[in-house]
Structure formats: structure tokens, C-alpha cells
Amino acid sequence: MSRIGKHPVPVPAGVDVNVNGQLVTAKGKLGSLSLTLIDDITASLEDGKVVVKPANDSKRARTMWATSRTLINNMVTGVSTGYTINLEINGVGYRAAVQGKELVMQLGFSHDVKYPIPEGINIKCDKPTSISVSGYDKHKVGQVAAEIRGWKKPEPYKGKGIKYETETVLRKEGKKK
């Protein structure tokens, strides 16, 4: 039995969850998300909680049970509170700013890097060296943060680049005389 899948997903106040066959929809103050479950998984709404169960005893049903429960939990959490990923910029002259619907970064290239902000994502730069990516879709927030980090990953010798706030960069020793 799945240790994650057996726990029902609690639905907080202010979130409306509808289960219509294989389609699960969550609406909250931040937005609306939907998920289509595979045929081997069934979901039902029981006294304010979403219960996810395998439809049969196949291997695929058992493997997708906890995955489906986690995806539904991410949807419910996203539309109620949202997700935020913080990035830090290290390096002399490296900085970022939001201009209109674009994130403009100066990362040591001969030109500014302009990243268009996708729909449903909010990007804030409180300081020129910090970027905050937030939104209600966990997958989209993580993807946007990874794309921004991909422009200049932190290098191990001086630590220059864009890194996650929680990431630690393993530093290497430089060459010796």
C-alpha cells in the first residue's frame, strides 16, 4: 500500500474542488487548475477531502497512485497559497530588473538578457541581486526558475552566476603557483 497515496488531500476553506470522472478541477483565490487522471486511478470527494485510490491491482495503478495524489495536493495548495522560488545573483556587475512584461538581466554577456514573463507567473526584483518567481502552478514556477538559472549557472571557482536561495555551491580551489 502506498504510504503517500493512502492519505486524503485536505481541501482548505476558499478552495472549490470538483471531481468529474477522471477530471479534477481546483479553483481558488489565485486561479484555477485542472488535472486529468489516468484510467487506473479514481478520485472522489468525501467530506471535504479528495480521496485517491487505484482502480485495479496493476503495477501502473500502484505506481501512479501517490503521483496522482501529490499532483492534486499541489493543485489545491497552489490555488490557495501559491508557490515562490527565490533566486540569488552573484558576480560583479550582475543584476536583474523587471521592465514591463520582461525580466532584464545583465550577466556579463555583451548584451542584456531579456526573458519574457509567462502568463500566470509573477517576477519581482526587490534588490538588483535577487529574483522572486511566484505563481499558482508549481510546475510552471519551477520551470521558469530553472530557465532563468540556466542563463548563467553558478560556477565553482568564484561562485558567479544565478543560484537558488537554498542551493550551496561547492567551491573549488584555484590553480597553484
Side-chain angles (χ1 to χ4, degrees):
M1 187 165 191
S2 173
R3 286 183 281 182
I4 296 172
K6 66 182 177 183
H7 299 294
V9 177
V11 179
V15 177
D16 180 35
V17 176
N18 293 327
V19 179
N20 188 5
Q22 296 302 102
L23 184 69
V24 180
T25 308
K27 290 181 185 172
K29 62 181 181 186
L30 297 178
S32 170
L33 291 171
S34 62
L35 171 71
T36 303
L37 299 173
I38 63 169
D39 294 332
D40 295 334
I41 302 295
T42 59
S44 60
L45 195 60
E46 297 174 7
D47 45 277
K49 295 180 180 177
V50 180
V51 179
V52 181
K53 293 185 179 174
N56 51 40
D57 250 358
S58 68
K59 182 173 175 65
R60 184 169 186 232
R62 284 181 282 132
T63 57
M64 293 302 289
W65 182 12
T67 303
S68 301
R69 187 255 181 218
T70 303
L71 291 174
I72 293 171
N73 188 42
N74 290 344
M75 282 182 5
V76 170
T77 305
V79 297
S80 63
T81 60
Y83 292 99
T84 302
I85 295 179
N86 295 317
L87 300 167
E88 292 178 355
I89 302 175
N90 294 323
V92 177
Y94 289 15
R95 58 186 166 273
V98 176
Q99 295 176 356
K101 294 202 175 260
E102 284 186 329
L103 175 67
V104 179
M105 299 176 283
Q106 295 167 349
L107 300 174
F109 299 125
S110 62
H111 58 283
D112 291 352
V113 176
K114 295 182 179 177
Y115 183 80
I117 300 173
E119 197 68 34
I121 297 292
N122 297 322
I123 296 180
K124 290 190 292 188
C125 294
D126 296 331
K127 297 186 289 185
T129 58
S130 71
I131 302 170
S132 177
V133 180
S134 60
Y136 58 89
D137 188 354
K138 186 174 187 177
H139 174 75
K140 206 177 211 182
V141 169
Q143 183 66 36
V144 168
E147 287 173 5
I148 292 171
R149 181 182 178 272
W151 279 103
K152 198 77 157 180
K153 292 182 182 170
E155 54 96 15
Y157 294 102
K158 291 185 178 179
K160 292 167 44 170
I162 303 173
K163 70 179 191 78
Y164 296 112
E165 188 179 53
T166 57
E167 181 181 10
T168 56
V169 179
L170 291 175
R171 301 291 294 271
K172 290 183 180 178
E173 188 178 351
K175 62 182 181 180
K176 297 177 184 164
K177 289 185 179 183

